[in-house]
Amino acid sequence: MGFTPPKSDHFKRFIAIDTASVSAALAALDGGAVSEVLTRTTDGGDSGLGGELGVRGAKVSARRSKERKVEEELRRVRTEHSAASSLVDRLRDAEAVGEVDGGLEDVITDDLGVGMVIHFVADVVLHPLHQTAVMADEFIVQAPKLGVKDGVNDAKDLAKFLKAVLGSDRVDAKIAVDFTGVPDSEVRWTGGFPMSGLQVPLEDLQGRVHVLAQVDAVHMDGERVHALRLVRGVPPSETETTATETFAESFGKAVADLGIRLDRDDIMMPPPMVILRILCLWR
């Protein structure tokens, strides 16, 4: 008896996928031809119900419409996962992906370049701003069930503020994450991806994952980078910068008591750090 490890890692359980970027990368590899379009289709046509069908016909149509939407959603998810898996394999076959398996300082100074696609394994955690937002939303939901009234209004104000600065209710909303354990390095590895590409509940975005990402920027020295750049792609306004720094100072100790580290370095992130455009995460 014994154990024979697998010779390949074709099985992947995806945690997050930047569908648009994965599709674009596959299109580039295929010379512009992608076998399947990675978009969800919806039925916007006439239901086809005649007046004589009445309520029974409406119920049948509604059930079929629901079944069709479920089928389309499953097909969309299968296609997205297939595309992401295909991209990982294609890049590896073409030797077009850098593997991070040593000291990060050496990789950054000698090998890492902007635009390079890399793969590494690390622990992923939500950026502290997102962690705080999740905590506030959870408290708002659970407090009434537990008969807790104190702090609910403050939590609602906090959630409203974070939703505004993070743009969580926008169609193009992004999620910012940090990576740790790659291996013992003082360099901060951070990045973002579209919230629409999240494949698990936001609070479950944690733990050891494989990361396929494109290097967006390498900051070994110089000015700090605002965390909101990770979710917007552009620097925040002066008002937003002041508001988020004040927020970190005001709520830092309170969230620390709940196990979330949030200080000025999480808002105005200092070098050295690597900023990534995350293509996909999987286990």
Side-chain angles (χ1 to χ4, degrees):
M1 297 180 65
F3 172 70
T4 302
K7 296 181 179 179
S8 64
D9 60 348
H10 286 294
F11 177 79
K12 299 176 179 67
R13 183 165 66 89
F14 286 97
I15 308 301
I17 302 172
D18 182 345
T19 305
S21 295
V22 166
S23 178
L26 274 177
L29 288 170
D30 290 336
V34 180
S35 59
E36 293 184 272
V37 179
L38 303 180
T39 57
R40 178 181 178 181
T41 59
T42 56
D43 183 14
D46 193 331
S47 64
L49 285 174
E52 69 280 3
L53 294 180
V55 176
R56 178 178 173 81
K59 289 182 178 179
V60 171
S61 178
R63 185 177 68 250
R64 289 177 177 173
S65 178
K66 181 178 181 180
E67 290 174 350
R68 178 172 179 176
K69 288 181 178 179
V70 170
E71 182 182 353
E72 288 172 347
E73 179 70 13
L74 290 173
R75 185 184 303 117
R76 179 188 67 82
V77 171
R78 284 198 302 267
T79 304
E80 288 179 348
H81 287 206
S82 176
S85 184
S86 177
L87 178 61
V88 174
D89 294 340
R90 292 284 301 279
L91 289 172
R92 283 175 169 171
D93 290 343
E95 297 183 344
V97 57
E99 295 286 345
V100 177
D101 55 8
L104 290 183
E105 291 81 359
D106 295 335
V107 173
I108 291 172
T109 56
D110 299 336
D111 303 319
L112 206 60
V114 174
M116 181 181 295
V117 177
I118 60 174
H119 164 257
F120 60 91
V121 178
D123 291 317
V124 61
V125 293
L126 285 171
H127 186 277
L129 284 174
H130 282 299
Q131 290 185 46
T132 306
V134 170
M135 176 202 68
D137 289 339
E138 185 68 13
F139 180 77
I140 292 169
V141 172
Q142 297 300 329
K145 299 178 182 179
L146 300 173
V148 177
K149 296 182 179 180
D150 293 343
V152 174
N153 288 334
D154 290 339
K156 289 181 178 179
D157 290 340
L158 175 59
K160 183 178 180 181
F161 169 79
L162 288 171
K163 182 176 290 186
V165 297
L166 292 172
S168 302
D169 54 353
R170 294 166 53 100
V171 176
D172 59 349
K174 291 185 178 181
I175 297 173
V177 296
D178 288 320
F179 297 102
T180 60
V182 206
D184 303 335
S185 172
E186 295 181 357
V187 178
R188 184 171 192 160
W189 285 58
T190 187
F193 61 88
M195 185 173 290
S196 59
L198 189 62
Q199 309 293 306
V200 298
L202 186 60
E203 58 271 19
D204 292 342
L205 185 61
Q206 58 184 320
R208 202 75 168 168
V209 296
H210 287 262
V211 184
L212 185 73
Q214 186 175 35
V215 178
D216 190 39
V218 179
H219 293 280
M220 297 306 297
D221 51 36
E223 297 182 354
R224 293 171 177 254
V225 176
H226 200 291
L228 292 186
R229 177 187 163 180
L230 303 178
V231 296
R232 296 189 184 178
V234 295
S237 66
E238 184 176 342
T239 300
E240 290 171 326
T241 298
T242 302
T244 48
E245 287 187 322
T246 301
F247 164 78
E249 293 175 0
S250 302
F251 289 91
K253 186 180 184 307
V255 298
D257 293 339
L258 297 173
I260 300 175
R261 195 207 80 174
L262 176 66
D263 56 31
R264 185 173 184 270
D265 285 349
D266 294 309
I267 306 299
M268 296 298 297
M269 300 183 297
M273 66 177 160
V274 177
I275 299 177
L276 302 169
R277 183 185 299 272
I278 299 165
L279 298 173
C280 55
L281 307 175
W282 75 91
R283 292 192 176 99

